[in-house]
Amino acid sequence: MAKDEFTEFKLVGTRPDRPDGLDKVTGRARYGADMSMPGMLWAAVVRSPHAHARILRIDTSKAEALEGVKAVVTRADFPEGLTGEEWNLQENTIAGDKALYDGHAVAAVAATSALLAQDAARLIEVDYEVLPHVIDVDDAIKPDAPAIRPGAADATVPEGMPANVVRYIDFGHGDVDAGFAEADLVMERSYKTEATHQGYIEPHACVGQLGADGKGEMWVCTQGQWYIRKMCADVLGLETAQLRVTPSEIGGGFGGKTTIFMEPLSLALSRKAGGRPVKLVMTRSEVLRATGPTASASMDVKIGMTKDGTITAARAEFRMQGGAFPGAPVDMALYCAFAPYKLKNVHHIGYDVLANRPKCAAYRAPGSPMGAFAVESLVDEMSRELGLDPLDVRLTNGVREGDRASYGPTFGSIGLIETLEATKAHPNLLVPLGPNQGRGIAAGYWFNHSGETSVSMAISEDGSAQVSVGTPDIGGSRASIALMVAETLGIPYEDVRVNVVETGSLGVNEPTHGSRATFASGKAAVVATGQAIKEMCRRAAAEWGIDEDAVEWVNGAAQPAGPNAGKFPPLTIREIAGKMGETGGPISGHHEGLPEGVGASFGCHVVDVEVDPETGHTTILRYLVVQDAGRAIHPSYVEGQYQGGAVQGIGWALNEEYIYGEDGRLQNAIFLDYRVPVASDLPMIDTVIVEVPNPGHPFGVRGVGETGITPPLPAIANAIQDATGLRMTHLPMTPPKVLAALKAAGRG
Amino acid sequence: MRYHTPSTFEDAARLAAEASGITRFLAGGTDVLVQMRAGAVIPDDLIDLKKIPGVSEIAQTEEGGWRIGIAVPGARLGAHAGLCADWPGVVEGMELVGSTQVQGRATLTGNLCNGSPAADSVPGLVAAGATVEISGPSGLRSAPVEDIPAGPGKTTLQPGEVISAILLPPRGTAGGDAYQRFIPRTEMDIAVVGCAISLTLDGNSIASARVALGAVAPTVLLVPEAAAAITGTTLDDDALAALTTAVEAACTPISDKRGTAEFRTEVAGVLARRVAKIAYARAKGAEA
Ligand SMILES: Cc1cc2nc3c(=O)[nH]c(=O)nc-3n(C[C@H](O)[C@H](O)[C@H](O)COP(=O)(O)OP(=O)(O)OC[C@H]3O[C@@H](n4cnc5c(N)ncnc54)[C@H](O)[C@@H]3O)c2cc1C
């Protein structure tokens, strides 16, 4: 459904400048590290140089003796007795008995300057007993691997599994063996993806302040101020409401800023330093070593297909490590892996495995890119084998509304088929390819999410409107929410200001995660705006002396609803607002809850590559993202999400990876060697916004932030196969790997 | 840390000779300051050379070569028409260093003295037959560029020695040079392999050549066997094959996070072929 068919909106679907744009381009926007306070101290963190080591002794005396040092904390300054994820968070914030990965925090110090704090950190002596470590997921799952945390397995893990398996997943439907027996072609392959980092430009930063009375404040770069509040309170044993958390502008998060890493350290230091505020800013190397990358994965997939491309059965077994803590997104990876396909017979098995690496955090559609890499690679290979068009195979098997999803539920309104058809119609597919060039396509999926949401809005004295949301604006959500509220009120976009507020201003909000801000905060804002409109209609009715129900809201004004209601000239929002003091006081709206009606989003990517047969270097020539947005409230920011997802996927596919030495230390903890794509690596990413409106949202919104990172990994592998004939099954597909494969195949 | 701003190379050399702790000269600072901020190298004495008269100049020598001041940043090299016409390979090596911002500061001398085997401007200088002028406790001396690197992060400069200029020989007629590096991305990366070749022609035949390789050994290498493989040829397929063999034989790379030894060796041969063709075309009069 093309966007132009919708003409009923004045603002939704237009592309005004973002309200935060001027501040951002002029450097006025305040990011995490921009906050400073009177009397503030600076913190530095001592980190383990070992992947796995028992902490025998920590001597902080020399650091404490240094002039200017105001506080030192170790695990001894944190409460005992935590369990479950609360313990995990505390343990990851600061190591207890053992350091569990290279970069694990062991102690922290606050001093009167950043340099002094760093000097003091170097004076803290830690004695370690180095223990055997394990990094790779396939090594970690071996029965003789070093046991990282005996007893960490949950109830899902059957008796007798290797020590580092902490969660076991097994689900599916139908009879896969019978399904494979019906197939004309059955193929089975193994795939691996390496851990990658979200790579946000802004390192973690916060200022924390905590008094002896347990009252505190924090200013922090985060995707979710309530999560920060709850997690800090849990880790420090505080009462949640006594902590007030204000989010800064955010220089990228991609899921990595939905949790805590070092924030409680600043509060613990502040409390020990008599309540002086403590600023803690990570270096890039700390970000890479000690904040959440995504999981690495080892995956086996088996698919059966008939000659016409119908999938008869599918089976996946995924093993993922998410660091030294449970939580690798193996469940999500499995749920999404076959989501684009209508399957009678499917079976999924998953293992969440511990390894001596940093605790993984969410990264854009957590798990889905890995699953897509495995499944979409195999579907592509089988389509080639059977001489079928890979897009047609996806259309043949593609899920539609009412179909049972591979992971169980029944799909509501979805736009996979429309997305595939829009892809098929795109001119990029007609561009002729030259020597060493190839084209790959792949589909991808993300559920999207709603979650706890609380939004308030209020009309100002001059008829402008303010909206208070709890979801930090990462991708343009303030612009989108302002458009929806302005559209609903019938006032100009510029007359609406959307504020991202601190924890004291609203009920609990989940972070900006799960592509939920424009869906959930947007939906709540529209409902809240409806309440304000109702109130304005009521006041107009009172002024006119007519029944409230006889007033309607049109183009930013109350007017009698038809000739029988009476003949009065419309009362504009400005007129009503100007008199609010005499007509009943403030006019506002508030909505909270768990907004229902989340709309899932499918995407399809087409990439053209050229592989240098002499060096194995892959150049991205052309890249197309087609994705269902439900409705694009602000098309530029939707396109930005599509492009950003594609680019992060390109990095993951080609060059990004966590590289460890034999000693278990991360070797590439700088952006020179952790190679995200640079602008000159990329063509303009072409986008097509498909709009199959989500009936669960007043304007039809589906989340759009995450699906875009799911197809690139397989799409690029598929294009490399098209260009070279080589099937790359282990990411990243770096030049050395591709060249070695070319040589092994007798080419290159 | 003591910060010095000598106004002559003699003073700079004396300050360095007298310093007992960690000493660094400051040219563009794109290595020194980065290392300081990372806490990797915090010098006791930092000797800023940019206040010495003439350090930012590029001048033609009487013989027709070029004298390049030690503080001339990459951006200035790239904007210098005469130098670009004579030694495009040297200039393109330096221009690959960093970003626009880094180009405004980074120098040839700093790139050489930082001692990285992957330094992008050094193979070009070595292939060109460049020399450095060195001020030291016992006066001035000169040395070929290939004699300066001693291993990762190390040079053969003695305590108290400071480079006072880089000298490029006259290009002469029918000469051409070129540099290419291999990186996984397209910029802002460190060379996994680099290769520079300078050659002169006698008609269609190569009269002389110098082949230099980066990032395949502890220092940038000058490979006379590779030069011999193409000298006297018209760069036909046999010559290119012999060049490849000689280049691969000279490589003693390590395997690390940036590339395997096999990959580096293989790609060194690939780059040598590509670079030789460009240098040859330039010697024939092709635009740089
Ligand atoms: C973002 C970024 C990207 C980069 N990319 C590249 C790249 O692509 N390729 C590459 O090769 N390098 C790269 N570099 C490294 C650096 O920019 C180069 O090595 C640069 O040429 C160094 O020159 P400089 O003038 O800044 O040296 P400085 O930092 O001033 O000095 C470097 C070293 O040379 C010594 N030194 C300086 N002058 C003299 C002298 N006259 N006599 C004796 N010793 C001296 C100093 O003591 C010091 O040890 C990059 C750096 C950054 C920050």
Side-chain angles (χ1 to χ4, degrees):
Chain A
M1 218 177 288
K3 158 132 228 319
D4 291 349
E5 288 174 30
F6 297 99
T7 47
E8 71 254 47
F9 302 125
K10 287 203 175 106
L11 296 171
V12 163
T14 63
R15 301 171 185 250
D17 287 345
R18 58 200 300 158
D20 45 315
L22 182 64
D23 282 352
K24 283 179 175 166
V25 298
T26 54
R28 266 203 310 264
R30 286 186 298 270
Y31 290 89
D34 292 328
M35 183 57 75
S36 283
M37 323 221 86
M40 189 179 78
L41 303 173
W42 297 77
V45 178
V46 180
R47 297 184 180 278
S48 167
H50 305 295
H52 196 195
R54 196 169 304 288
I55 297 168
L56 303 177
R57 186 186 66 106
I58 305 176
D59 184 346
T60 61
S61 56
K62 284 188 189 141
E64 278 161 28
L66 192 71
E67 194 176 333
V69 170
K70 300 296 177 192
V72 178
V73 295
T74 64
R75 182 63 170 273
D77 295 285
F78 288 75
E80 289 179 7
L82 275 59
T83 56
E85 187 58 14
E86 292 176 9
W87 184 87
N88 290 335
L89 288 169
Q90 186 185 56
E91 177 76 3
N92 193 42
T93 302
I94 189 155
D97 295 338
K98 294 202 293 183
L100 297 170
Y101 57 92
D102 166 37
H104 197 172
V106 171
V109 49
T112 49
S113 79
L115 281 176
L116 259 177
Q118 285 158 23
D119 285 347
R122 280 188 218 108
L123 292 174
I124 293 176
E125 292 166 11
V126 187
D127 291 344
Y128 296 98
E129 176 198 341
V130 177
L131 302 170
H133 66 268
V134 63
I135 297 292
D136 181 71
V137 61
D138 289 325
D139 292 338
I141 203 173
K142 284 181 186 151
D144 58 348
I148 296 171
R149 277 178 49 206
D154 72 14
T156 59
V157 180
E159 207 59 42
M161 285 239 178
N164 292 323
V165 176
V166 290
R167 200 158 42 119
Y168 175 77
I169 296 159
D170 188 329
F171 68 96
H173 57 251
D175 178 344
V176 285
D177 291 329
F180 287 129
E182 285 169 33
D184 297 312
L185 176 68
V186 177
M187 281 180 77
E188 188 169 8
R189 283 226 189 263
S190 298
Y191 303 87
K192 274 186 109 157
T193 63
E194 293 302 327
T196 54
H197 197 272
Q198 296 84 350
Y200 28 79
I201 292 301
E202 186 189 7
H204 297 264
C206 69
V207 177
Q209 186 274 321
L210 181 62
D213 56 359
K215 292 190 174 64
E217 282 203 65
M218 174 166 282
W219 296 265
V220 59
C221 169
T222 180
Q223 290 175 244
Q225 52 274 42
W226 281 269
Y227 269 29
I228 292 278
R229 182 178 76 158
K230 167 99 170 47
M231 291 175 183
C232 285
D234 287 347
V235 164
L236 289 158
L238 304 172
E239 194 176 277
T240 309
Q242 298 304 335
L243 199 56
R244 183 166 173 241
V245 181
T246 306
S248 67
E249 283 296 335
I250 176 167
F254 311 108
K257 291 176 183 166
T258 55
T259 184
I260 55 165
F261 294 103
M262 65 356 164
E263 291 79 4
L265 296 176
S266 76
L267 293 170
L269 286 165
S270 172
R271 183 169 56 188
K272 246 189 149 171
R276 288 173 71 168
V278 174
K279 179 165 179 165
L280 182 44
V281 181
M282 279 190 168
T283 63
R284 179 61 57 188
S285 143
E286 287 181 292
V287 169
L288 288 168
R289 284 170 76 202
T291 73
T294 188
S296 66
S298 168
M299 302 169 285
D300 308 324
V301 179
K302 183 174 176 182
I303 293 176
M305 224 182 241
T306 59
K307 284 196 188 97
D308 70 346
T310 305
I311 298 177
T312 57
R315 185 182 181 283
E317 181 179 316
F318 293 178
R319 301 161 291 276
M320 286 192 184
Q321 69 73 32
F325 302 87
V330 62
D331 43 0
M332 303 291 177
L334 289 165
Y335 298 156
C336 294
F338 296 110
Y341 302 102
K342 186 176 177 172
L343 298 177
K344 276 213 215 82
N345 309 297
V346 60
H347 186 194
H348 311 75
I349 293 174
Y351 300 87
D352 182 357
V353 185
L354 301 187
N356 292 111
R357 301 197 189 202
K359 186 179 196 297
C360 83
Y363 179 16
R364 223 169 181 157
S368 185
M370 298 84 141
F373 175 59
V375 169
E376 293 296 283
S377 289
L378 189 55
V379 168
D380 187 78
E381 205 179 344
M382 295 177 75
S383 307
R384 279 170 208 276
E385 181 81 23
L386 292 170
L388 300 169
D389 179 304
L391 262 175
D392 288 341
V393 170
R394 285 167 177 86
L395 278 165
T396 304
N397 297 285
V399 283
R400 296 161 191 267
E401 182 166 358
D403 284 344
R404 178 178 189 181
S406 57
Y407 57 97
T410 300
F411 280 118
S413 157
I414 47 170
L416 173 64
I417 300 298
E418 290 81 350
T419 300
L420 293 170
E421 273 160 3
T423 308
K424 222 175 162 177
H426 196 276
N428 277 21
L429 273 80
L430 301 174
V431 179
L433 294 172
N436 303 313
Q437 298 184 351
R439 180 167 294 151
I441 78 141
Y445 173 71
W446 187 246
F447 322 92
N448 297 324
H449 179 64
S450 173
E452 288 161 288
T453 306
S454 174
V455 169
S456 290
M457 71 85 61
I459 308 296
S460 311
E461 299 87 326
D462 59 359
S464 60
Q466 71 180 48
V467 185
S468 302
V469 298
T471 41
D473 179 359
I474 314 185
S477 55
R478 273 174 294 201
S480 297
I481 292 167
L483 281 169
M484 290 186 277
V485 169
E487 181 82 53
T488 308
L489 280 173
I491 63 176
Y493 163 77
E494 292 75 16
D495 288 1
V496 179
R497 174 154 181 159
V498 180
N499 296 308
V500 178
V501 300
E502 45 83 39
T503 53
S505 307
L506 290 171
V508 173
N509 274 273
E510 276 185 33
T512 299
H513 66 175
S515 298
R516 74 181 214 94
T518 303
F519 170 78
S521 287
K523 184 169 179 176
V526 171
V527 175
T529 302
Q531 295 167 0
I533 288 173
K534 191 155 191 283
E535 177 61 19
M536 289 189 284
C537 289
R538 198 186 63 75
R539 293 195 192 186
E543 180 160 335
W544 294 327
I546 65 173
D547 192 61
E548 196 178 322
D549 294 337
V551 179
E552 62 181 7
W553 189 260
V554 180
N555 288 333
Q559 67 180 33
N564 298 337
K567 252 181 115 48
F568 304 100
L571 265 174
T572 65
I573 186 169
R574 205 185 166 87
E575 288 162 339
I576 298 169
K579 286 187 275 193
M580 72 169 97
E582 303 104 67
T583 59
I587 300 170
S588 62
H590 177 83
H591 184 70
E592 61 196 15
L594 300 162
E596 284 177 9
V598 175
S601 177
F602 285 94
C604 183
H605 293 196
V606 184
V607 56
D608 292 355
V609 303
E610 180 168 333
V611 179
D612 182 338
E614 291 190 314
T615 64
H617 184 275
T618 300
T619 303
I620 306 289
L621 301 172
R622 234 163 267 108
Y623 202 107
L624 170 66
V625 180
V626 184
Q627 188 182 318
D628 177 17
R631 172 144 314 120
I633 302 299
H634 190 303
S636 297
Y637 302 147
V638 172
E639 288 159 4
Q641 290 297 315
Y642 290 6
Q643 293 170 324
V647 169
Q648 287 188 310
I650 290 169
W652 197 339
L654 293 180
N655 283 306
E656 289 180 41
E657 67 179 311
Y658 267 48
I659 304 173
Y660 286 90
E662 288 293 310
D663 56 6
R665 289 184 186 156
L666 183 61
Q667 298 206 327
N668 56 337
I670 52 171
F671 269 156
L672 180 60
D673 292 311
Y674 182 83
R675 293 182 167 113
V676 301
V678 296
S680 55
D681 293 344
L682 302 163
M684 188 57 172
I685 309 286
D686 302 320
T687 54
V688 173
I689 300 174
V690 174
E691 294 190 309
V692 177
N694 169 20
H697 184 278
F699 291 101
V701 166
R702 297 172 193 275
V704 297
E706 291 170 286
T707 301
I709 200 175
T710 59
L713 279 50
I716 294 167
N718 296 344
I720 289 177
Q721 159 144 43
D722 197 41
T724 64
L726 297 174
R727 176 50 62 177
M728 303 297 292
T729 55
H730 189 168
L731 298 184
M733 298 175 283
T734 61
K737 263 198 218 148
V738 172
L739 188 62
L742 280 164
K743 295 201 82 81
R747 263 161 287 151
Chain B
M1 189 185 75
R2 288 169 295 273
Y3 173 69
H4 311 274
T5 54
S7 53
T8 64
F9 279 105
E10 292 73 41
D11 284 352
R14 193 175 35 73
L15 282 164
E18 284 166 6
S20 54
I22 299 171
T23 308
R24 286 290 182 277
F25 294 110
L26 188 63
T30 60
D31 282 314
V32 169
L33 296 183
V34 172
Q35 289 159 9
M36 272 172 57
R37 296 199 68 176
V41 181
I42 300 173
D44 300 302
D45 289 277
L46 185 60
I47 306 172
D48 190 343
L49 303 173
K50 289 191 294 296
K51 304 277 149 64
I52 301 174
V55 291
S56 298
E57 281 164 25
I58 303 172
Q60 187 128 37
T61 62
E62 278 170 24
E63 307 80 59
W66 296 95
R67 181 185 170 91
I68 303 170
I70 57 94
V72 174
R76 287 271 211 85
L77 294 182
H80 194 285
L83 201 61
C84 291
D86 277 4
W87 296 105
V90 172
V91 175
E92 73 195 352
M94 190 62 212
E95 285 192 307
L96 285 174
V97 170
S99 57
T100 302
Q101 294 91 326
V102 172
Q103 280 289 309
R105 279 285 179 189
T107 67
L108 287 171
T109 315
N111 198 222
L112 174 62
C113 296
N114 185 53
S116 164
D120 278 310
S121 74
V122 179
L125 290 171
V126 169
T131 56
V132 289
E133 180 189 275
I134 302 165
S135 294
S138 43
L140 284 182
R141 71 177 177 101
S142 140
V145 165
E146 58 269 28
D147 287 356
I148 301 302
K154 297 200 186 76
T155 68
T156 57
L157 295 174
Q158 297 303 304
E161 287 195 321
V162 54
I163 293 180
S164 39
I166 290 194
L167 292 144
L168 283 165
R171 174 70 278 187
T173 52
D177 72 335
Y179 173 77
Q180 279 193 359
R181 66 174 181 185
F182 181 83
I183 55 171
R185 293 182 288 190
T186 47
E187 60 179 333
M188 295 304 289
D189 220 325
I190 189 158
V192 181
V193 187
C195 177
I197 295 179
S198 174
L199 49 80
T200 60
L201 297 181
D202 181 3
N204 286 333
S205 161
I206 296 174
S208 69
R210 285 169 67 90
V211 178
L213 299 175
V216 292
T219 63
V220 169
L221 294 180
L222 177 67
V223 190
E225 300 77 8
I230 55 171
T231 306
T233 75
T234 57
L235 210 61
D236 51 24
D237 287 350
D238 288 348
L240 289 169
L243 172 69
T244 306
T245 308
V247 161
E248 289 183 357
C251 295
T252 56
I254 52 167
S255 286
D256 69 2
K257 61 195 169 196
R258 293 174 184 147
T260 58
E262 304 79 66
F263 179 78
R264 289 191 151 107
T265 305
E266 170 96 19
V267 173
V270 172
L271 290 188
R273 292 196 296 275
R274 292 178 181 179
V275 168
K277 286 181 194 162
I278 300 169
Y280 187 90
R282 286 179 180 167
K284 279 264 173 206
E287 287 286 315

